[in-house]
Amino acid sequence: HGMDLPRRLQIEFSRTIQTITEDSGTEIPAAEMWLAFEDTYLSPAAPVQLLSHETTTGEKGSTVVAQLTVDGEHRTMTGAGTGPLAAFVAALQADLGIELEVVDYSEHAVSAGTDATAVAYVETQGPNGEVRWGVGMHESILTASLKAVVSAVNRHRADEHLVERHEP
């Protein structure tokens, strides 16, 4: 797939794969591994989805107005920050109360040509220092990066739900 995964993301994802292989007791074929990757980071069924966004960047930084669905409910979120990514994170924090910090970010094109897709990877940290990666794909690098943040948000939320479920 021409995806050049950041090293620490590979490590995080390999844990997911390990869980699957331990359950099935077999090695996973590449195609299945890609499906697992998509399911983990790019799932269209994830509870938080980015529908669209408008970004304005001026002297004082960026403002983002984003349309999202959260657990099936449509939300409009607005945030401001030094750049579009920071503004988007601020919007998510204000609206969803998600404490999230983007600690690393990288991007690359998957295919050359007119229908080139950009892939963005963000490494995010939650309030307790837990690190979760997010991955986004889109023709636009900016949209891909915002989608990556949403992907990370979904991962953090999934963790929170896990914690809630285990409490007696």
Side-chain angles (χ1 to χ4, degrees):
H1 289 278
M3 304 227 344
D4 184 17
L5 302 185
R7 183 80 193 106
R8 291 196 300 277
L9 170 57
Q10 288 178 23
I11 294 165
E12 182 185 277
F13 180 57
S14 68
R15 290 192 202 117
T16 306
I17 290 298
Q18 217 171 340
T19 314
I20 299 170
T21 50
E22 278 165 10
D23 289 347
S24 62
T26 53
E27 286 295 303
I28 308 185
E32 221 172 294
M33 198 176 273
W34 170 247
L35 286 173
F37 184 84
E38 276 191 315
D39 191 48
T40 304
Y41 297 100
L42 301 163
S43 170
V48 184
Q49 294 288 330
L50 176 66
L51 304 174
S52 65
H53 64 90
E54 281 174 41
T55 310
T56 327
T57 302
E59 287 172 21
K60 292 191 174 118
S62 300
T63 307
V64 170
V65 179
Q67 308 294 327
L68 293 96
T69 52
V70 179
D71 302 321
E73 187 187 317
H74 183 263
R75 305 274 271 270
T76 302
M77 302 181 190
T78 312
T82 47
L85 216 56
F88 185 56
V89 169
L92 289 167
Q93 285 182 339
D95 196 283
L96 294 175
I98 287 177
E99 291 296 316
L100 207 62
E101 189 190 344
V102 174
V103 288
D104 194 21
Y105 169 79
S106 61
E107 62 188 40
H108 66 83
V110 174
S111 53
T114 48
D115 58 347
T117 299
V119 181
Y121 307 102
V122 294
E123 186 180 7
T124 64
Q125 203 168 4
N128 305 320
E130 67 282 14
V131 169
R132 288 290 168 270
W133 283 82
V135 182
M137 293 177 82
H138 197 266
E139 292 83 63
S140 144
I141 282 275
L142 177 58
T143 302
S145 60
L146 299 188
K147 279 176 171 278
V149 171
V150 170
S151 166
V153 163
N154 280 307
R155 308 273 333 279
H156 281 282
R157 290 184 84 207
D159 289 348
E160 281 172 20
H161 290 313
L162 285 177
V163 171
E164 284 165 22
R165 275 192 220 124
H166 288 305
E167 284 172 12

